[in-house]
Amino acid sequence: MNNRIKGSTKLYAVIGDPIEHSLSPEIHNTVFDHKKENSIYIPLGIKEEELEKNIYMLRNNFLGFNVTKPHKQKIMKYIDQLDDRARVYNAVNTVKVVDGKLIGYNTDGYGFSKSIENVHLKKKRALLLGAGGAASVVAYEILQKGAYITIANRNIEKAKILKEQLLAYDSSFTIEVSKIEDLKAEYYFIVNATPIGMNPKSEELPVSLHIIKNASVAYDLIYNPNRTKFLKIAEEHGCKIINGFSMLFYQAIKAQEIWNEKIIKKDIESSIYKEIEQYLTMKKRG
């Protein structure tokens, strides 16, 4: 940041454990620089069992904060007011602090949807790998775009529970479940919402080569590394590939708009996106 930190500096943060890998500080502080705001965004490592005792500090010192693993659901019992989308996802990733009250939102769905706005999914077959918290957000957004979805997970019971939750929102959704090892069909769109592809599983694939090579679009929620083995192989077989950075970026932009109650102009958004992409490229080279 160009501004000195003062007593009047507005504080924002991301809470989670671990937190060292987070790109959110780079994104949000770049936004503050562009807007010439006397604000700063910091990473706060808060262990799962220490969340409750940190709520007072967050409530009384920050104007807003983001929430990542393992707190997205646990934070909800401390929220004073919950946005509809956070209620649908049963998870909070963005909190706005107003007069000491915590207002919970979820911008992950917006970020994912924005990142695939040029992917046409109506009446297309989609495969979602994983059935955790991130998967539930992704599944909802894919179904909202008119796709037919198969949720595949090693623990099929978790996939069945997610299916039931989604059908409770809209009984017209077309959803199948499967164990990952039992998949046989071809899919237009594949999304990896598992941790397979990150260290220490960077050389593993979340699904078989046969499934990957028949897809048209491959999406990995992982953004570090920026091209997982899954995406590299998909690209080699002619797939359009997307990593998790764009979802992270757009959910951050939406969080900024919530905190400031002001839409960020498209040209500024585009400029910030390019600046952070360049920064990350240089960081990898370094």
Side-chain angles (χ1 to χ4, degrees), residues 22-219:
S22 177
L23 289 177
S24 292
E26 282 97 331
I27 296 173
H28 287 284
N29 286 317
T30 301
V31 174
F32 292 143
D33 281 349
H34 270 263
K35 293 161 68 177
K36 296 181 170 57
E37 283 190 16
N38 183 24
S39 302
I40 191 167
Y41 184 103
I42 61 174
L44 291 176
I46 296 177
K47 295 187 181 300
E48 191 169 3
E49 65 273 16
E50 296 176 347
L51 178 61
E52 183 174 4
K53 71 180 184 181
N54 281 282
I55 292 297
Y56 179 87
M57 177 269 295
L58 293 165
R59 191 187 294 274
N60 289 281
N61 291 281
F62 291 82
L63 292 179
F65 57 94
N66 289 124
V67 185
T68 189
K69 292 180 180 179
H71 305 310
K72 285 188 177 185
Q73 291 182 317
K74 291 181 172 59
I75 191 76
M76 293 178 73
K77 67 178 177 180
Y78 306 108
I79 295 296
D80 299 296
Q81 184 179 325
L82 197 63
D83 179 72
D84 288 344
R85 190 54 64 93
R87 190 174 286 107
V88 167
Y89 297 148
N90 192 35
V92 165
N93 83 320
T94 298
V95 177
K96 182 176 182 177
V97 184
V98 181
D99 297 327
K101 290 187 176 181
L102 304 184
I103 306 174
Y105 299 83
N106 194 307
T107 65
D108 284 332
Y110 172 86
F112 178 75
S113 186
K114 178 78 173 174
S115 71
I116 61 166
E117 62 183 0
N118 295 321
V119 179
H120 302 291
L121 292 177
K122 191 167 185 178
K123 295 185 178 180
K124 297 289 179 66
R125 290 174 56 81
L127 171 63
L128 175 61
L129 304 170
S136 66
V137 172
V138 168
Y140 181 83
E141 296 300 326
I142 289 173
L143 289 162
Q144 287 284 76
K145 291 183 178 294
Y148 312 127
I149 196 169
T150 297
I151 302 169
N153 199 53
R154 298 196 189 281
N155 180 346
I156 198 166
E157 292 307 313
K158 285 189 71 175
K160 288 177 180 177
I161 290 169
L162 178 53
K163 175 182 177 178
E164 290 172 6
Q165 291 171 342
L166 292 164
L167 289 175
Y169 301 137
D170 190 334
S171 60
S172 69
F173 286 157
T174 302
I175 307 169
E176 295 179 352
V177 297
S178 173
K179 288 184 178 179
I180 290 178
E181 56 268 29
D182 292 341
L183 291 169
K184 295 176 182 177
E186 295 184 4
Y187 301 92
Y188 175 80
F189 184 45
I190 303 176
V191 180
N192 177 37
T194 78
I196 295 175
M198 291 191 296
N199 285 326
K201 298 181 178 180
S202 58
E203 291 305 309
E204 295 183 28
L205 287 173
V207 71
S208 71
L209 175 61
H210 169 70
I211 300 294
I212 297 171
K213 70 181 184 181
N214 287 313
S216 295
V217 184
Y219 192 122

Side-chain angles (χ1 to χ4, degrees), residues 218-233:
Y219 192 122
D220 204 321
L221 297 191
I222 295 168
Y223 57 83
N224 187 16
N226 68 329
R227 288 169 79 247
T228 58
K229 185 174 182 179
F230 165 60
L231 290 185
K232 287 176 183 176
I233 288 177

